[in-house]
Amino acid sequence: MINPTEPEGPQDAGRPANQGRRVAARNRAALIAAAREVFAEQGLDAPLSAVARRAGVGQGSLYRHFADRVALATAVLDENVQHVEQAAAEPGADLASVLGVITWQITRSTAFVDLLRIRGDDEHARALAGRVHTVLSRCLPAEHRLSADDVMLAVAMVSGAVAGPTPQERERRALAAWSLLGVEVGPLRPVGTAAEDA
């Protein structure tokens, strides 16, 4: 008689448990992180094979998660917007601190101006832009000389000015652009990093 609690044979010995969902989630996160880096370095037209290689997955895995490059770039942009929202929810957050997070992102995700140009008529892209607009509206002091629309335009202008081979060079150019616009920006940092640690 076969004991149902024991493995049926040697083929089950040492076989890892199926981690399909866990691995899929890890691969998706790795693809988004890799896409952010590759698109920042090479632009939105970078080969998707470079993204897959950077993530350490096969191209088939990339296409299982993302139908095309716009879907992949939109996923990165969506994650960026989530980080902006998290930054605005931090204790003591203000316009300068939120712009510090946004600017850190655009110095590492320089292709997203291209994405917004491509998807300008897309409902999802408009919704993401609307979420950023909402955050900026909440952070703006009532007496501020700029409106949320003005700050959104300024973010686009700074994004367009950011260029350079390294994040440090892109940060330098971004801060110079904000200075020319007369907008105060807090320390450039990823979300969740204390300003004093940035």
Side-chain angles (χ1 to χ4, degrees):
M1 179 177 261
I2 297 174
N3 182 343
T5 61
E6 292 180 7
E8 289 184 19
Q11 71 272 16
D12 291 327
R15 180 183 292 171
N18 184 347
Q19 297 182 350
R21 286 187 181 157
R22 188 177 307 148
V23 170
R26 190 169 47 236
N27 286 350
R28 186 177 193 281
L31 284 162
I32 290 172
R36 177 178 286 109
E37 294 171 4
V38 171
F39 290 159
E41 294 164 5
Q42 302 176 34
L44 194 58
D45 293 328
L48 293 184
S49 58
V51 174
R53 271 194 311 276
R54 179 84 53 104
V57 303
Q59 253 183 289
S61 180
L62 185 150
Y63 286 110
R64 275 192 295 279
H65 290 283
F66 305 103
D68 56 27
R69 81 178 52 252
V70 175
L72 176 58
T74 300
V76 180
L77 184 58
D78 184 66
E79 186 175 272
N80 285 359
V81 172
Q82 290 174 34
H83 291 174
V84 170
E85 292 168 333
Q86 291 170 15
E90 292 173 344
D94 60 8
L95 180 63
S97 67
V98 170
L99 288 177
V101 170
I102 290 173
T103 304
W104 183 88
Q105 289 180 345
I106 64 176
T107 61
R108 283 147 179 86
S109 302
T110 54
F112 296 120
V113 172
D114 293 338
L115 172 68
L116 293 174
R117 282 194 203 110
I118 291 169
R119 307 263 324 222
D121 295 329
D122 181 87
E123 187 176 324
H124 186 69
R126 283 196 309 271
L128 291 173
R131 286 166 50 194
V132 175
H133 189 278
T134 298
V135 167
L136 294 174
S137 296
R138 290 182 185 149
C139 293
L140 272 170
E143 71 281 0
H144 202 280
R145 65 183 177 85
L146 299 177
S147 69
D149 288 341
D150 294 335
V151 179
M152 289 288 287
L153 178 58
V155 168
M157 292 167 68
V158 171
S159 295
V162 172
T166 66
Q168 295 76 20
E169 176 62 17
R170 295 191 296 266
E171 285 179 7
R172 188 190 68 71
R173 291 181 61 92
L175 290 173
W178 282 120
S179 178
L180 286 171
L181 294 171
V183 176
E184 180 186 349
V185 175
L188 275 54
R189 64 186 179 89
V191 71
T193 304
E196 58 270 14
D197 296 339

